[in-house]
Amino acid sequence: MATALVTGGTSGIGAAFARQLAARGDALVLVARDAARLEESAARLREAYGVEVEVLPADLADRGSVLRVADRLTDVTRPVDLLVNNAGFGVHHALTDPDPGPHEHAVDVMIRAVLLLGGAAGRAMRERGHGAVVNVASTAGFMTMGSYSAVKAWVMTYSESLANELHGTGVTVTALAPGWVRTEFHERAAIRTSSIPEVLWLDADALVAECLADVARGAVVSIPSRRYRALMWAVRHAPRPAVRAASRRLSSSRH
Ligand SMILES: NC(=O)c1ccc[n+]([C@@H]2O[C@H](COP(=O)([O-])OP(=O)(O)OC[C@H]3O[C@@H](n4cnc5c(N)ncnc54)[C@H](OP(=O)(O)O)[C@@H]3O)[C@@H](O)[C@H]2O)c1
């Protein structure tokens, strides 16, 4: 029986990963801050799918807590076969804001935690000769929309680098770059979504199903849905000044 550890597994995209992994019979380790919500999610998953679900309450902004999760990933007595580095949030603050706190928080949770957990999982999985890591990046990482874009661009480059480092070891690494998905993400970050056309919204379950199929075939980059693959192909091949201009327009429509 395989075991998957999902950070941010209580809501949105992470919860969709938890449901689909449980549905295929994987045991789960769920990580998030809200301990009561973790227990509720675990109880629902045990009841619905009959799998073992462990909860590990942790604030991934706190380095010590990240190291506790890393210890769980390297515990040789309870191997983890799949790590989903998913926990994250939008950042809607100007880079020139006198308080850099929100940006530092984003770096702590979406860069430092991803780095420490990816390294720990990669080491343990390489030792066993199999395993998979999924790092949730974003299509925003191909654009230039503030620290969120910069952080997610880091996640993409980091994942491709980790995939190279682990190439041939039996361990795969996949960067998932979703477009817009209706979750708690936008409300939590106070991002206005009324200007986003309906066609650009993705369903979390469909997105995760595509991603897991990509993981199964060892894809390094997963961009779910044909429309986002086409859009991102255009963005990645467009002149950078055009990408910056489009990013400026998009950013101002969401303030
Ligand atoms: N929704 C989108 O449109 C979209 C698009 C592209 C990429 N993404 C990425 O997808 C990932 C998941 O986002 P989502 O849309 O599913 O958001 P969500 O519904 O707000 O869920 C976020 C999850 O992360 C956990 N979390 C947040 N901060 C945490 C922390 N400091 N320590 C531990 N856990 C933490 C939350 O639980 P607690 O609050 O209990 O900690 C929750 O389980 C993120 O990395 C996001 O950047 C989202």
Side-chain angles (χ1 to χ4, degrees), residues 61-228:
D62 173 58
R63 192 171 189 276
S65 302
V66 177
L67 293 179
R68 267 196 303 117
V69 180
D71 285 345
R72 177 64 189 84
L73 287 166
T74 53
D75 182 345
V76 287
T77 64
R78 296 178 297 163
V80 172
D81 306 283
L82 169 67
L83 163 67
V84 185
N85 255 324
N86 160 80
F89 44 83
V91 190
H92 203 38
H93 297 78
L95 291 163
T96 49
D97 197 298
D99 173 16
H103 304 299
E104 294 180 280
H105 188 224
V107 167
D108 291 346
V109 176
M110 293 186 279
I111 294 186
R112 185 177 61 195
V114 169
L115 176 80
L116 298 182
L117 300 182
R123 263 194 314 282
M125 291 172 183
R126 181 177 54 200
E127 199 63 34
R128 293 195 301 275
H130 77 95
V133 176
V134 175
N135 295 321
V136 182
S138 171
T139 50
F142 301 126
M143 308 289 285
T144 58
M145 297 187 295
S147 60
Y148 184 73
S149 282
V151 160
K152 293 302 191 180
W154 182 90
V155 174
M156 179 57 71
T157 304
Y158 166 74
S159 304
E160 294 188 88
S161 304
L162 186 63
N164 272 348
E165 189 170 317
L166 295 172
H167 186 77
T169 65
V171 183
T172 62
V173 181
T174 303
L176 166 62
W180 278 293
V181 192
R182 276 191 224 283
T183 64
E184 296 173 14
F185 178 94
H186 304 95
E187 201 185 318
R188 286 190 197 223
I191 294 170
R192 268 186 39 209
T193 57
S194 50
S195 60
I196 299 166
E198 200 49 45
V199 64
L200 290 182
W201 287 102
L202 296 172
D203 172 66
D205 286 308
L207 165 106
V208 166
E210 268 200 59
C211 176
L212 288 175
D214 285 339
V215 172
R217 62 181 183 82
V220 177
V221 177
S222 174
I223 304 178
S225 87
R226 216 178 264 177
R227 54 194 185 281
Y228 270 105

